[in-house]
PDB file of all heavy atoms in Angstrom:
ATOM      1  N   TRP F  83       1.134  29.551   0.454  1.00 97.00           N
ATOM      2  CA  TRP F  83      -0.163  30.203  -0.050  1.00 97.00           C
ATOM      3  C   TRP F  83      -0.451  29.749  -1.479  1.00 97.00           C
ATOM      4  O   TRP F  83      -0.973  30.516  -2.291  1.00 97.00           O
ATOM      5  CB  TRP F  83       0.078  31.732   0.035  1.00 97.00           C
ATOM      6  CG  TRP F  83      -0.317  32.383   1.295  1.00 97.00           C
ATOM      7  CD1 TRP F  83      -1.556  32.514   1.807  1.00 97.00           C
ATOM      8  CD2 TRP F  83       0.539  32.922   2.223  1.00 97.00           C
ATOM      9  NE1 TRP F  83      -1.602  33.161   2.975  1.00 97.00           N
ATOM     10  CE2 TRP F  83      -0.286  33.452   3.362  1.00 97.00           C
ATOM     11  CE3 TRP F  83       1.886  33.108   2.317  1.00 97.00           C
ATOM     12  CZ2 TRP F  83       0.226  34.067   4.435  1.00 97.00           C
ATOM     13  CZ3 TRP F  83       2.482  33.684   3.466  1.00 97.00           C
ATOM     14  CH2 TRP F  83       1.674  34.236   4.490  1.00 97.00           C
ATOM     15  N   ASP F  85       0.732  27.871  -5.354  1.00 93.00           N
ATOM     16  CA  ASP F  85       1.847  28.288  -6.351  1.00 93.00           C
ATOM     17  C   ASP F  85       3.231  27.872  -5.924  1.00 93.00           C
ATOM     18  O   ASP F  85       4.123  28.393  -6.316  1.00 93.00           O
ATOM     19  CB  ASP F  85       1.898  29.755  -6.627  1.00 93.00           C
ATOM     20  CG  ASP F  85       0.606  30.373  -7.014  1.00 93.00           C
ATOM     21  OD1 ASP F  85      -0.190  29.662  -7.742  1.00 93.00           O
ATOM     22  OD2 ASP F  85       0.200  31.462  -6.611  1.00 93.00           O
ATOM     23  N   ASN F 110      -9.494  27.539 -10.255  1.00 93.00           N
ATOM     24  CA  ASN F 110      -8.666  28.520  -9.708  1.00 93.00           C
ATOM     25  C   ASN F 110      -7.164  28.179  -9.642  1.00 93.00           C
ATOM     26  O   ASN F 110      -6.382  28.913  -9.556  1.00 93.00           O
ATOM     27  CB  ASN F 110      -9.192  28.981  -8.336  1.00 93.00           C
ATOM     28  CG  ASN F 110      -9.372  27.711  -7.355  1.00 93.00           C
ATOM     29  OD1 ASN F 110      -9.359  26.589  -7.761  1.00 93.00           O
ATOM     30  ND2 ASN F 110      -9.651  28.033  -6.067  1.00 93.00           N
ATOM     31  N   ALA F 111      -7.020  26.898  -9.733  1.00 91.00           N
ATOM     32  CA  ALA F 111      -5.658  26.314  -9.635  1.00 91.00           C
ATOM     33  C   ALA F 111      -5.023  26.379 -10.983  1.00 91.00           C
ATOM     34  O   ALA F 111      -5.730  26.333 -12.024  1.00 91.00           O
ATOM     35  CB  ALA F 111      -5.697  24.847  -9.184  1.00 91.00           C
ATOM     36  N   ILE F 197     -11.042  40.080  -1.419  1.00 92.00           N
ATOM     37  CA  ILE F 197     -10.168  38.963  -1.143  1.00 92.00           C
ATOM     38  C   ILE F 197      -9.182  38.765  -2.282  1.00 92.00           C
ATOM     39  O   ILE F 197      -8.091  38.209  -2.101  1.00 92.00           O
ATOM     40  CB  ILE F 197     -11.112  37.634  -1.041  1.00 92.00           C
ATOM     41  CG1 ILE F 197     -11.973  37.742   0.286  1.00 92.00           C
ATOM     42  CG2 ILE F 197     -10.197  36.326  -0.887  1.00 92.00           C
ATOM     43  CD1 ILE F 197     -13.001  36.707   0.367  1.00 92.00           C
ATOM     44  N   GLY F 198      -9.499  39.266  -3.417  1.00 91.00           N
ATOM     45  CA  GLY F 198      -8.712  39.078  -4.547  1.00 91.00           C
ATOM     46  C   GLY F 198      -8.851  37.690  -5.203  1.00 91.00           C
ATOM     47  O   GLY F 198      -7.920  36.976  -5.473  1.00 91.00           O
ATOM     48  N   THR F 199     -10.132  37.332  -5.223  1.00 94.00           N
ATOM     49  CA  THR F 199     -10.386  35.859  -5.790  1.00 94.00           C
ATOM     50  C   THR F 199     -10.081  35.725  -7.177  1.00 94.00           C
ATOM     51  O   THR F 199      -9.788  36.830  -7.910  1.00 94.00           O
ATOM     52  CB  THR F 199     -11.882  35.494  -5.648  1.00 94.00           C
ATOM     53  OG1 THR F 199     -12.678  36.203  -6.640  1.00 94.00           O
ATOM     54  CG2 THR F 199     -12.478  35.841  -4.332  1.00 94.00           C
ATOM     55  N   THR F 200      -9.893  34.544  -7.735  1.00 93.00           N
ATOM     56  CA  THR F 200      -9.561  34.365  -9.139  1.00 93.00           C
ATOM     57  C   THR F 200     -10.849  34.645 -10.102  1.00 93.00           C
ATOM     58  O   THR F 200     -10.741  34.498 -11.271  1.00 93.00           O
ATOM     59  CB  THR F 200      -9.098  32.927  -9.333  1.00 93.00           C
ATOM     60  OG1 THR F 200     -10.154  32.005  -8.933  1.00 93.00           O
ATOM     61  CG2 THR F 200      -7.816  32.686  -8.516  1.00 93.00           C
ATOM     62  N   GLN F 295      -3.996  24.873  -4.486  1.00 96.00           N
ATOM     63  CA  GLN F 295      -3.684  25.974  -3.540  1.00 96.00           C
ATOM     64  C   GLN F 295      -2.817  25.607  -2.383  1.00 96.00           C
ATOM     65  O   GLN F 295      -1.960  24.771  -2.689  1.00 96.00           O
ATOM     66  CB  GLN F 295      -5.180  26.518  -2.989  1.00 96.00           C
ATOM     67  CG  GLN F 295      -5.993  27.249  -3.980  1.00 96.00           C
ATOM     68  CD  GLN F 295      -6.803  26.340  -4.883  1.00 96.00           C
ATOM     69  OE1 GLN F 295      -7.396  25.339  -4.371  1.00 96.00           O
ATOM     70  NE2 GLN F 295      -6.875  26.557  -6.172  1.00 96.00           N
ATOM     71  N   LEU F 299      -4.172  28.955   2.486  1.00 97.00           N
ATOM     72  CA  LEU F 299      -5.481  29.362   1.852  1.00 97.00           C
ATOM     73  C   LEU F 299      -6.549  28.369   2.254  1.00 97.00           C
ATOM     74  O   LEU F 299      -7.677  28.414   1.801  1.00 97.00           O
ATOM     75  CB  LEU F 299      -5.288  29.233   0.286  1.00 97.00           C
ATOM     76  CG  LEU F 299      -4.381  30.359  -0.270  1.00 97.00           C
ATOM     77  CD1 LEU F 299      -4.133  30.111  -1.789  1.00 97.00           C
ATOM     78  CD2 LEU F 299      -4.898  31.730  -0.126  1.00 97.00           C
ATOM     79  N   VAL F 309      -8.701  33.448   2.148  1.00 96.00           N
ATOM     80  CA  VAL F 309      -8.482  32.080   1.872  1.00 96.00           C
ATOM     81  C   VAL F 309      -9.416  31.581   0.572  1.00 96.00           C
ATOM     82  O   VAL F 309     -10.225  32.282   0.238  1.00 96.00           O
ATOM     83  CB  VAL F 309      -8.932  31.198   3.081  1.00 96.00           C
ATOM     84  CG1 VAL F 309      -8.022  31.384   4.211  1.00 96.00           C
ATOM     85  CG2 VAL F 309     -10.355  31.382   3.556  1.00 96.00           C
ATOM     86  N   THR F 310      -9.149  30.435   0.243  1.00 97.00           N
ATOM     87  CA  THR F 310     -10.088  29.860  -0.746  1.00 97.00           C
ATOM     88  C   THR F 310     -11.263  29.216   0.024  1.00 97.00           C
ATOM     89  O   THR F 310     -11.255  29.144   1.220  1.00 97.00           O
ATOM     90  CB  THR F 310      -9.336  28.998  -1.742  1.00 97.00           C
ATOM     91  OG1 THR F 310     -10.213  28.768  -2.882  1.00 97.00           O
ATOM     92  CG2 THR F 310      -8.883  27.655  -1.156  1.00 97.00           C
ATOM     93  N   VAL F 344      -0.580  35.387  -3.948  1.00 90.00           N
ATOM     94  CA  VAL F 344      -1.321  36.235  -4.843  1.00 90.00           C
ATOM     95  C   VAL F 344      -2.646  36.583  -4.128  1.00 90.00           C
ATOM     96  O   VAL F 344      -3.105  35.951  -3.243  1.00 90.00           O
ATOM     97  CB  VAL F 344      -1.715  35.538  -6.192  1.00 90.00           C
ATOM     98  CG1 VAL F 344      -0.464  35.530  -7.111  1.00 90.00           C
ATOM     99  CG2 VAL F 344      -2.258  34.223  -6.100  1.00 90.00           C
ATOM    100  N   GLY F 345      -3.232  37.652  -4.479  1.00 84.00           N
ATOM    101  CA  GLY F 345      -4.369  38.111  -3.901  1.00 84.00           C
ATOM    102  C   GLY F 345      -4.104  38.942  -2.616  1.00 84.00           C
ATOM    103  O   GLY F 345      -2.850  39.021  -2.271  1.00 84.00           O
ATOM    104  N   ARG F 374      -1.573  37.388 -12.722  1.00 87.00           N
ATOM    105  CA  ARG F 374      -1.341  38.505 -11.778  1.00 87.00           C
ATOM    106  C   ARG F 374       0.210  38.301 -11.170  1.00 87.00           C
ATOM    107  O   ARG F 374       0.588  37.249 -11.042  1.00 87.00           O
ATOM    108  CB  ARG F 374      -2.171  38.454 -10.585  1.00 87.00           C
ATOM    109  CG  ARG F 374      -3.652  38.840 -10.921  1.00 87.00           C
ATOM    110  CD  ARG F 374      -4.448  38.837  -9.644  1.00 87.00           C
ATOM    111  NE  ARG F 374      -4.774  37.453  -9.153  1.00 87.00           N
ATOM    112  CZ  ARG F 374      -5.538  37.186  -8.136  1.00 87.00           C
ATOM    113  NH1 ARG F 374      -6.018  38.188  -7.458  1.00 87.00           N
ATOM    114  NH2 ARG F 374      -5.834  35.948  -7.853  1.00 87.00           N
TER     115      ARG F 374
HETATM  116  P1  IMP J  76     -10.700  31.872  -4.986  1.00 50.68           P
HETATM  117  O1  IMP J  76     -10.106  30.444  -4.708  1.00 50.68           O
HETATM  118  O2  IMP J  76     -10.833  32.222  -6.415  1.00 50.68           O
HETATM  119  O3  IMP J  76     -12.011  32.062  -4.280  1.00 50.68           O
HETATM  120  O4  IMP J  76      -9.659  32.950  -4.354  1.00 50.68           O
HETATM  121  C1  IMP J  76      -9.505  33.116  -2.950  1.00 50.68           C
HETATM  122  C2  IMP J  76      -7.927  33.389  -2.603  1.00 50.68           C
HETATM  123  O5  IMP J  76      -7.267  32.255  -2.994  1.00 50.68           O
HETATM  124  C3  IMP J  76      -7.476  34.593  -3.452  1.00 50.68           C
HETATM  125  O6  IMP J  76      -6.441  35.224  -2.609  1.00 50.68           O
HETATM  126  C4  IMP J  76      -6.701  33.892  -4.541  1.00 50.68           C
HETATM  127  O7  IMP J  76      -5.660  34.648  -5.081  1.00 50.68           O
HETATM  128  C5  IMP J  76      -6.190  32.581  -3.874  1.00 50.68           C
HETATM  129  N1  IMP J  76      -5.934  31.453  -4.749  1.00 50.68           N
HETATM  130  C6  IMP J  76      -6.943  30.659  -5.332  1.00 50.68           C
HETATM  131  N2  IMP J  76      -6.397  29.662  -6.103  1.00 50.68           N
HETATM  132  C7  IMP J  76      -5.061  29.934  -6.066  1.00 50.68           C
HETATM  133  C8  IMP J  76      -3.960  29.180  -6.462  1.00 50.68           C
HETATM  134  O8  IMP J  76      -3.957  28.174  -7.197  1.00 50.68           O
HETATM  135  N3  IMP J  76      -2.655  29.729  -6.167  1.00 50.68           N
HETATM  136  C9  IMP J  76      -2.557  30.673  -5.402  1.00 50.68           C
HETATM  137  N4  IMP J  76      -3.478  31.495  -4.857  1.00 50.68           N
HETATM  138  C10 IMP J  76      -4.797  31.025  -5.235  1.00 50.68           C
END
Side-chain angles (χ1 to χ4, degrees):
W83 273 286
D85 307 320
N110 48 350
I197 294 168
T199 74
T200 59
Q295 289 82 45
L299 290 174
V309 292
T310 192
V344 286
R374 291 181 286 181

